[in-house]
Amino acid sequence: MAVVDCELEKELKQFDETKAGVKGLVDAGVTKLPRMFRHPPESLPSPNQNNGVDSNLQVPVIDLKDVDICERRKEIINDLRKAAEEWGFFQIVNHGIPYAVMDKVLKGVRSFHELPQEAKEEWYSRDFKKKVNFFSNGELKVSTPADWRDTLSCKVLEDECNFEAIPEVCREEIREYMKYIVQVQEKLSKLFSEALGLDSDYLENLRCFKSRSLACHYYPVCPEPHLTLGGTRHSDLGFLTLLLQDSGGLQVLHDNVWIDVPPVERALLTNLADMLQIVTNGKFKSVEHRVLMPATLEPRTSIACFVGTDDLQKPYGPIKELISEDNPAIYKEVLFGEYMNRYKL
């Protein structure tokens, strides 16, 4: 067993030293899935149970059209509250981001990942304190199978100066996209506050939605997709994630059943993260999700915008207005920075 572990450790080290990521394996013509990417059968969809998926259920779609009209706003808030309590995931349409901007940023990110290896090497780093870095898998460990995915991470995008560190091939596309994301997160901050029965500026005053970072994922075509995952089962750690995706593979765990979340045209996928579950004392859900590797001839691209606080030392616990004798706090306060350090983007 020790020999096997040493061999796997060597494979991981060699893979990381190429600085080419998963795309480098594909470019090299790999036809068999390397052992480091092989997931145990219990982590993979079951071929005998329709992949463990209930095809009759779908993630809610919330239309934000006319959100500032009083009666319509009430309907939207009710829909959002129900989705947050029951699903923790929902698609939003008429969110204000032009389709052309969404399309260009997806193409820009794909263009980066499809650059020649030597053109990407300067961004390859496992120093996750860098504002921008390119890598494959947050951690490469013998004990944990790797995911079939490369990532360009862009952090602290509330600071305009940090855009200059983003690769030129997708810099302006990301800059333009983030202008609209700011508007969406501000809109959602108010709607979530009102859905909790609080003043519309409550979550804004808590600084819950102040920081923005991107994980620009690329899932190359896989030679044996049934043996690996693009994203291991997990929940997100911050307050909110806004996801743009160009094809299927994402699944969300709902009532212990995996539900496919295919892209909806012009929609932005919204999922609640752990810190929002904590501050709402469990009223709103942060749920687990994963990314399958479909048998396809096209790579998948997704852009996750992680929304959180800009104060890493700020403690967060259940909002006092949501706590009562009948509804006591079920979570302790936690420092945002300490909680986020559990995961490398």
Side-chain angles (χ1 to χ4, degrees):
M1 185 67 181
V3 174
V4 174
D5 286 345
C6 288
E7 290 177 354
L8 185 54
E9 188 172 5
K10 181 180 179 181
E11 181 181 328
L12 290 166
K13 186 173 184 293
Q14 289 176 339
F15 169 77
D16 195 37
E17 288 176 347
T18 68
K19 300 184 178 182
V22 175
K23 180 63 163 55
L25 295 175
V26 175
D27 291 343
V30 66
T31 58
K32 289 289 185 181
L33 187 73
R35 191 158 53 94
M36 61 180 280
F37 293 101
R38 292 176 180 262
H39 286 248
E42 60 270 19
S43 298
L44 298 168
S46 169
N48 299 321
Q49 298 179 2
N50 193 29
N51 287 342
V53 175
D54 188 335
S55 59
N56 296 317
L57 286 174
Q58 64 178 17
V59 168
V61 178
I62 299 177
D63 190 345
L64 298 185
K65 185 179 180 180
D66 299 327
V67 68
D68 293 323
I69 296 176
C70 184
E71 289 305 312
R72 176 66 187 132
R73 189 178 188 86
K74 291 179 182 178
E75 293 176 4
I76 291 171
I77 288 172
N78 285 334
D79 289 344
L80 185 146
R81 181 187 302 112
K82 184 176 181 181
E85 292 177 353
E86 297 179 4
W87 281 85
F89 262 76
F90 54 90
Q91 308 261 18
I92 55 174
V93 295
N94 289 312
H95 39 63
I97 307 178
Y99 176 75
V101 172
M102 299 166 72
D103 186 54
K104 285 180 181 178
V105 74
L106 281 169
K107 289 179 178 176
V109 166
R110 177 176 288 201
S111 293
F112 168 78
H113 285 288
E114 294 181 349
L115 286 172
Q117 175 183 340
E118 57 272 16
K120 294 184 292 187
E121 278 187 5
E122 66 175 285
W123 286 283
Y124 193 91
S125 175
R126 294 206 161 272
D127 180 358
F128 294 96
K129 293 180 181 179
K130 285 189 171 184
K131 297 299 186 291
V132 176
N133 66 312
F134 162 58
F135 61 96
S136 183
N137 288 265
E139 292 182 297
L140 291 172
K141 299 190 296 185
V142 170
S143 59
T144 307
D147 293 329
W148 191 259
R149 181 188 70 230
D150 294 333
T151 302
L152 174 68
S153 176
C154 309
K155 301 183 183 68
V156 199
L157 294 182
E158 63 274 16
D159 185 343
E160 179 67 22
C161 295
N162 290 330
F163 283 94
E164 295 308 310
I166 297 173
E168 186 177 0
V169 69
C170 56
R171 183 186 305 150
E172 292 310 312
E173 290 83 355
I174 288 177
R175 192 195 304 271
E176 185 68 11
Y177 178 64
M178 292 307 295
K179 289 178 184 177
Y180 289 97
I181 282 290
V182 172
Q183 297 172 19
V184 173
Q185 78 174 49
E186 289 174 351
K187 191 178 299 183
L188 289 175
S189 176
K190 293 176 182 178
L191 291 172
F192 278 123
S193 295
E194 293 175 44
L196 290 167
L198 305 168
D199 292 340
S200 62
D201 61 353
Y202 194 97
L203 292 178
E204 179 184 358
N205 291 336
L206 276 185
R207 308 192 69 81
C208 295
F209 295 174
K210 287 295 184 182
S211 71
R212 297 173 290 279
S213 296
L214 291 185
C216 304
H217 297 310
Y218 182 81
Y219 307 81
V221 175
C222 183
E224 295 181 292
H226 59 290
L227 298 178
T228 190
L229 291 170
T232 305
R233 173 177 177 168
H234 69 284
S235 62
D236 291 351
L237 299 186
F239 281 93
L240 191 69
T241 304
L242 300 172
L243 182 76
L244 187 58
Q245 56 176 346
D246 65 1
S247 58
L250 178 65
Q251 292 186 328
V252 58
L253 190 62
H254 177 69
D255 291 339
N256 292 317
V257 176
W258 288 106
I259 309 297
D260 285 326
V261 189
V264 172
E265 188 176 11
R266 301 175 186 268
L268 195 63
L269 184 63
T270 305
N271 75 273
L272 282 59
D274 292 357
M275 291 299 296
L276 195 56
Q277 178 170 308
I278 289 172
V279 299
T280 64
N281 202 38
K283 182 176 178 64
F284 289 173
K285 285 185 178 181
S286 171
V287 299
E288 292 184 313
H289 46 285
R290 67 183 182 183
V291 179
L292 305 187
M293 290 304 304
T296 176
L297 298 178
E298 288 292 326
R300 177 179 187 266
T301 306
S302 71
I303 303 173
C305 179
F306 301 111
V307 180
T309 183
D310 56 356
D311 185 354
L312 298 182
Q313 298 307 310
K314 183 175 176 60
Y316 283 95
I319 294 170
K320 63 180 186 302
E321 286 84 350
L322 303 180
I323 303 305
S324 67
E325 186 175 336
D326 295 328
N327 184 40
I330 59 175
Y331 299 104
K332 295 180 179 179
E333 281 193 343
V334 60
L335 292 180
F336 183 79
E338 288 183 2
Y339 197 78
M340 291 301 292
N341 281 338
R342 302 180 188 182
Y343 183 67
K344 292 182 175 64
L345 297 182

